[in-house]
Amino acid sequence: SDIKGNNSNNILNNIYIGNNDNKLDMNYTFNITGKSTKNTMKVEGALFDNSNKRFRGTIDFKEGASKSIGEESENCILFSDKCISRSLPMMLCHEEDVIGTHGVSSGKVSKEKLFYLMSRGLSKSDASKLIVSANFSTIINELPQSIREEINNKIDEII
């Protein structure tokens, strides 16, 4: 994204699921030159089986981007010991008076959490679906109902 207009609002929301031997490669860049802009990059994911994911996210405050805000986050849930999650968040700044935040988290679902859900009558697959849906909900809930249903059906199909 090239954010050139002053007082612009730029939002990138992304969800992903890797399974089997999927190889996912994501590279998002916000080039910010507009003054007083708000830029948000939120990515939520889940990896299963032997899947492999690379995420690169860059927020670049160029000259002219004063008083702008850039926020970047990526969260990945690992459901297998064999899946691989690589993340590289980057913040570049060529301007003063900006606010930039970035962060990445990835980790395995605790056995205790899965056990708890399964002790309530859910299968391992249904428990995994519930965990993924809960993590994706902040992004999915912003979409129209018809698209939400389609995405939730796809999540059910994949997991």
Side-chain angles (χ1 to χ4, degrees):
S1 296
D2 290 322
I3 302 91
K4 298 177 182 178
N6 294 340
N7 302 303
S8 296
N9 189 19
N10 182 38
I11 299 171
L12 171 103
N13 287 330
N14 182 44
I15 59 174
Y16 64 85
I17 297 176
N19 65 345
N20 300 320
D21 292 318
N22 292 149
K23 293 188 182 349
L24 307 172
D25 194 352
M26 294 164 271
N27 186 10
Y28 300 111
T29 302
F30 288 175
N31 293 308
I32 306 167
T33 55
K35 184 177 181 177
S36 300
T37 66
K38 170 95 165 114
N39 307 275
T40 306
M41 182 185 308
K42 182 172 178 145
V43 180
E44 296 283 344
L47 298 177
F48 295 84
D49 310 316
N50 293 312
S51 59
N52 186 322
K53 179 269 310 178
R54 289 178 193 220
F55 168 81
R56 291 175 299 281
T58 303
I59 297 178
D60 191 354
F61 293 101
K62 307 274 188 188
E63 262 184 61
S66 65
K67 303 202 182 319
S68 289
I69 299 170
E71 301 169 337
E72 172 186 358
S73 67
E74 194 246 344
N75 179 42
C76 181
I77 307 169
L78 309 174
F79 285 89
S80 165
D81 290 333
K82 297 177 183 176
C83 58
I84 298 171
S85 173
R86 293 182 183 100
S87 299
L88 179 63
M90 190 179 328
M91 187 86 47
L92 304 172
C93 189
H94 309 280
E95 183 60 87
E96 295 181 20
D97 195 19
V98 298
I99 297 172
T101 62
H102 66 278
V104 169
S105 68
S106 64
K108 291 177 64 176
V109 173
S110 72
K111 291 178 183 175
E112 292 81 15
K113 185 184 279 188
L114 276 176
F115 175 79
Y116 175 80
L117 292 171
M118 292 170 68
S119 72
R120 300 297 184 256
L122 295 175
S123 67
K124 186 174 183 180
S125 175
D126 286 340
S128 298
K129 288 176 194 176
L130 182 63
I131 292 167
V132 169
S133 294
N135 274 35
F136 289 5
S137 67
T138 58
I139 292 175
I140 292 173
N141 289 342
E142 293 180 21
L143 300 170
Q145 182 63 33
S146 60
I147 296 173
R148 276 188 253 166
E149 290 174 18
E150 186 177 336
I151 290 171
N152 286 323
N153 289 339
K154 191 66 173 174
I155 290 170
D156 287 346
E157 180 183 315
I158 292 172
I159 298 176

